[in-house]
Amino acid sequence: MRIVLFGTGNLATRLGIALNTTDAEIVQVFGRTEANTAQLADILNCPYTISLEEINLDADIYILAITDDSIAEVVSKLLIQDQLVVHTAGSVSMNVLSPSVKNQGVFYPLQTLSKNKEVNFKTIPICIEANNTASLEKLDALASSLSDQVIRVDSAQRKRLHLAAVFVCNFVNHFYSIGEKLLNEQQLDFDLLKPLILETANKAMLFSPPDIQTGPAIRGSKTIMDLHFKMLEGHPEWQKLYKMVSNDIVVNRNPSTNHSGI
Amino acid sequence: MRIVLFGTGNLATRLGIALNTTDAEIVQVFGRTEANTAQLADILNCPYTISLEEINLDADIYILAITDDSIAEVVSKLLIQDQLVVHTAGSVSMNVLSPSVKNQGVFYPLQTLSKNKEVNFKTIPICIEANNTASLEKLDALASSLSDQVIRVDSAQRKRLHLAAVFVCNFVNHFYSIGEKLLNEQQLDFDLLKPLILETANKAMLFSPPDIQTGPAIRGSKTIMDLHFKMLEGHPEWQKLYKMVSNDIVVNRNPSTNHSGI
């Protein structure tokens, strides 16, 4: 399978590296800036262009790993006829590719990716969607060459997955940031929280999260919550967050579970 | 070292099991209810009592792994003279043990513990504090027999660690719960989020969290954030959380970092 890869960010980089381990061939990389595009092309050992007019028209799949807002614009400038064009965005409908593209699809890896962090694509759920069976099968073959977990979802389901991912990844990481800052303010090392962060994630692999909720909120320890609220006096936004999340933990309490621990 | 262990909850259970792998000897377990106490004594293969008047007075260390609010009351009823009494609470000052106890301390494992989840104590940071050098050394010896990470902190530092732990563990787990519910509402399997949850935690082992923040908020994708807000219409509390955490991500943005991904 011959592929043109659009984008030079985290996803384009990680996806390109993963594709290079399969039978697929990246025949071209497209990016906006010379420096970034040349750099990725060098990593992937393939040709590149920064001009949409020079896109290789002789590929099987065109993968748009670009920012959500630029998908429609880039697609409108492509001269693709019958080949498959897919975007990789969690919360953008497939029909953003219409009417320019006949065979359209979505290829959405449900994972947080960074240029400078290796990742095992085999374990990443890849959500695929296409507007006809032949395209879906083509996408399925490509996705299955990368991952053991390929799932077919429609745009509504994909948006729901992305919304959930914002909570369990982006928002979770922000709470890691808050934890780090709270410790650094007192010259305590963030490393001290790392076993706790890992164990919390590992427990979610084995149990339904509401069943293993621990902490002052679920225990109803008003004394501790009041103390923590007071300790956050220098951070009014975190005070509001503390109160709001604690309340939400109580509201969503599973009454049949014994909650204690941290 | 001869130990009396107070409590029958998650911490008492996990700590007791860990202590049984060391040279320390648990000479008695105390609990409020016959059933729970007998059960833990059975697991730990040691005697038990449910009467404070029957506490074995011939131990070296008395470990109170009981609810925060009951520490002062239990201590006031103990007839301990020179032995070491410690509590295990993150946000309770050591001096809650005064004036009843001469040799006092705190033994706080910074980890989320559950009765039904095995845990490797060797990797758990154990925070210790005592009101004199001899007691601190005794506690250090005990903690070091359990863990490779023993740190001496005062009550203020310990409370700060606990506060940070609430964010990176309790609140994070609640966001896992929200993710699970958002998926279940659409008949999507929580398993789909698990690789993402693990990778997010693993990245925090390697990078400072603000440097790897990804998502619509840090990218300033207003279109996506508006869409997600609308999708949360059935959950007004989660709408408020979504807005508040997203704003906080932007406010705490690290301007030197490239943010993309999920």
Side-chain angles (χ1 to χ4, degrees):
Chain A
M1 231 169 315
R2 293 161 56 83
I3 293 169
V4 176
L5 180 62
F6 293 71
T8 59
N10 292 328
L11 173 55
T13 303
R14 283 293 141 203
L15 180 57
I17 291 169
L19 285 169
N20 266 356
T21 68
T22 70
D23 290 339
E25 182 191 358
I26 303 175
V27 296
Q28 192 178 43
V29 168
F30 166 83
R32 294 278 185 191
T33 64
E34 174 79 26
N36 289 347
T37 315
Q39 191 182 23
L40 181 55
D42 188 50
I43 292 171
L44 301 180
N45 193 27
C46 70
Y48 73 91
T49 180
I50 59 167
S51 162
L52 284 173
E53 289 159 18
E54 290 174 8
I55 291 295
N56 184 328
L57 295 179
D58 190 27
D60 300 299
I61 305 188
Y62 297 77
I63 301 180
L64 309 181
I66 57 182
T67 57
D68 299 352
D69 294 335
S70 57
I71 297 173
E73 182 217 333
V74 167
V75 163
S76 72
K77 292 182 179 160
L78 290 181
L79 300 169
I80 308 298
Q81 300 290 329
D82 289 333
Q83 299 107 310
L84 178 58
V85 179
V86 302
H87 77 65
T88 56
S91 289
V92 177
S93 295
M94 181 171 64
N95 65 17
V96 71
L97 303 170
S98 312
S100 317
V101 173
K102 187 175 138 198
N103 293 310
Q104 42 185 265
V106 181
F107 180 98
Y108 173 58
L110 185 56
Q111 187 53 283
T112 170
L113 301 167
S114 297
K115 282 186 189 180
N116 53 351
K117 168 74 170 66
E118 282 188 35
V119 66
N120 177 10
F121 250 80
K122 281 282 168 217
T123 64
I124 301 178
I126 298 182
C127 307
I128 59 170
E129 181 182 4
N131 69 336
N132 56 62
T133 308
S135 298
L136 191 60
E137 279 168 7
K138 199 179 279 186
L139 262 188
D140 199 333
L142 181 71
S144 299
S145 73
L146 288 166
S147 168
D148 296 330
Q149 262 210 83
V150 179
I151 53 162
R152 300 175 178 199
V153 300
D154 61 27
S155 289
Q157 289 173 315
R158 179 163 35 78
K159 287 174 189 176
R160 178 60 67 130
L161 284 164
H162 187 210
L163 174 60
V166 168
F167 277 91
V168 308
C169 168
N170 306 148
F171 289 0
V172 159
N173 187 69
H174 184 59
F175 280 3
Y176 296 161
S177 297
I178 292 176
E180 184 188 55
K181 281 182 195 171
L182 286 172
L183 259 54
N184 289 349
E185 283 177 5
Q186 299 276 318
Q187 286 74 51
L188 289 161
D189 194 332
F190 179 56
D191 282 352
L192 291 169
L193 293 178
K194 290 181 177 176
L196 180 58
I197 285 171
L198 270 191
E199 178 71 3
T200 304
N202 282 325
K203 282 171 102 166
M205 304 301 110
L206 301 172
F207 303 94
S208 174
D211 290 344
I212 48 166
Q213 185 65 50
T214 56
I218 200 80
R219 283 200 305 274
S221 303
K222 196 172 174 317
T223 318
I224 305 299
M225 286 191 279
D226 288 347
L227 171 70
H228 285 169
F229 193 80
K230 209 175 143 54
M231 288 169 69
L232 289 170
E233 259 169 3
H235 302 284
E237 288 306 311
W238 299 350
Q239 280 187 322
K240 280 185 219 163
L241 273 178
Y242 189 95
K243 194 162 261 181
M244 194 171 285
V245 180
S246 295
N247 286 343
D248 205 52
I249 287 173
V250 174
V251 168
N252 290 280
R253 196 176 198 282
N254 181 345
S256 65
T257 309
N258 165 37
H259 302 278
S260 49
I262 278 281
Chain B
M1 229 169 316
R2 293 163 55 85
I3 292 170
V4 176
L5 181 61
F6 293 70
T8 60
N10 292 328
L11 173 55
T13 303
R14 282 294 140 202
L15 179 58
I17 291 169
L19 284 169
N20 265 358
T21 68
T22 70
D23 290 339
E25 180 191 1
I26 302 175
V27 296
Q28 191 177 43
V29 168
F30 166 84
R32 294 277 185 191
T33 63
E34 175 77 26
N36 288 347
T37 317
Q39 189 182 23
L40 181 55
D42 188 51
I43 292 170
L44 302 179
N45 193 25
C46 70
Y48 73 92
T49 179
I50 58 167
S51 162
L52 284 172
E53 289 159 18
E54 289 174 8
I55 290 296
N56 185 327
L57 296 178
D58 190 27
D60 300 299
I61 305 188
Y62 296 77
I63 301 179
L64 309 181
I66 57 182
T67 57
D68 298 354
D69 296 335
S70 58
I71 297 172
E73 183 217 333
V74 166
V75 164
S76 72
K77 291 180 180 162
L78 290 180
L79 301 169
I80 308 296
Q81 301 290 329
D82 290 332
Q83 299 108 308
L84 178 57
V85 179
V86 302
H87 76 66
T88 56
S91 290
V92 178
S93 295
M94 180 171 65
N95 65 19
V96 71
L97 302 171
S98 313
S100 316
V101 173
K102 187 174 137 198
N103 293 310
Q104 43 186 263
V106 181
F107 180 99
Y108 173 58
L110 185 55
Q111 187 53 282
T112 170
L113 301 166
S114 297
K115 282 185 188 180
N116 53 351
K117 168 74 170 66
E118 281 189 36
V119 65
N120 177 9
F121 250 81
K122 282 282 167 213
T123 64
I124 300 178
I126 298 182
C127 306
I128 59 169
E129 182 183 4
N131 70 336
N132 57 62
T133 308
S135 298
L136 192 59
E137 281 168 5
K138 198 180 281 187
L139 261 188
D140 200 333
L142 181 71
S144 300
S145 73
L146 289 166
S147 168
D148 295 332
Q149 262 210 80
V150 178
I151 53 163
R152 300 176 178 199
V153 300
D154 62 26
S155 289
Q157 289 173 313
R158 179 163 34 78
K159 287 175 190 176
R160 177 61 67 132
L161 284 165
H162 187 211
L163 174 60
V166 168
F167 277 92
V168 308
C169 168
N170 307 147
F171 289 179
V172 159
N173 187 70
H174 184 59
F175 280 3
Y176 297 161
S177 297
I178 292 176
E180 185 188 53
K181 282 181 194 174
L182 286 172
L183 260 54
N184 290 348
E185 283 177 4
Q186 298 276 318
Q187 285 75 52
L188 290 161
D189 195 331
F190 180 56
D191 282 353
L192 292 169
L193 294 177
K194 289 181 177 175
L196 180 59
I197 286 172
L198 269 191
E199 177 72 2
T200 304
N202 281 327
K203 281 171 102 165
M205 304 300 110
L206 302 173
F207 303 94
S208 174
D211 289 344
I212 48 166
Q213 185 65 48
T214 56
I218 200 80
R219 285 201 303 274
S221 303
K222 197 173 173 316
T223 318
I224 305 300
M225 287 191 279
D226 288 347
L227 171 71
H228 286 169
F229 194 79
K230 208 174 145 54
M231 287 170 68
L232 289 170
E233 258 169 5
H235 303 285
E237 288 307 311
W238 298 351
Q239 280 188 322
K240 279 186 219 162
L241 273 178
Y242 189 96
K243 193 161 259 180
M244 195 173 282
V245 180
S246 294
N247 286 342
D248 205 52
I249 287 172
V250 174
V251 168
N252 290 280
R253 196 176 199 282
N254 181 346
S256 65
T257 307
N258 165 37
H259 301 279
S260 48
I262 277 279

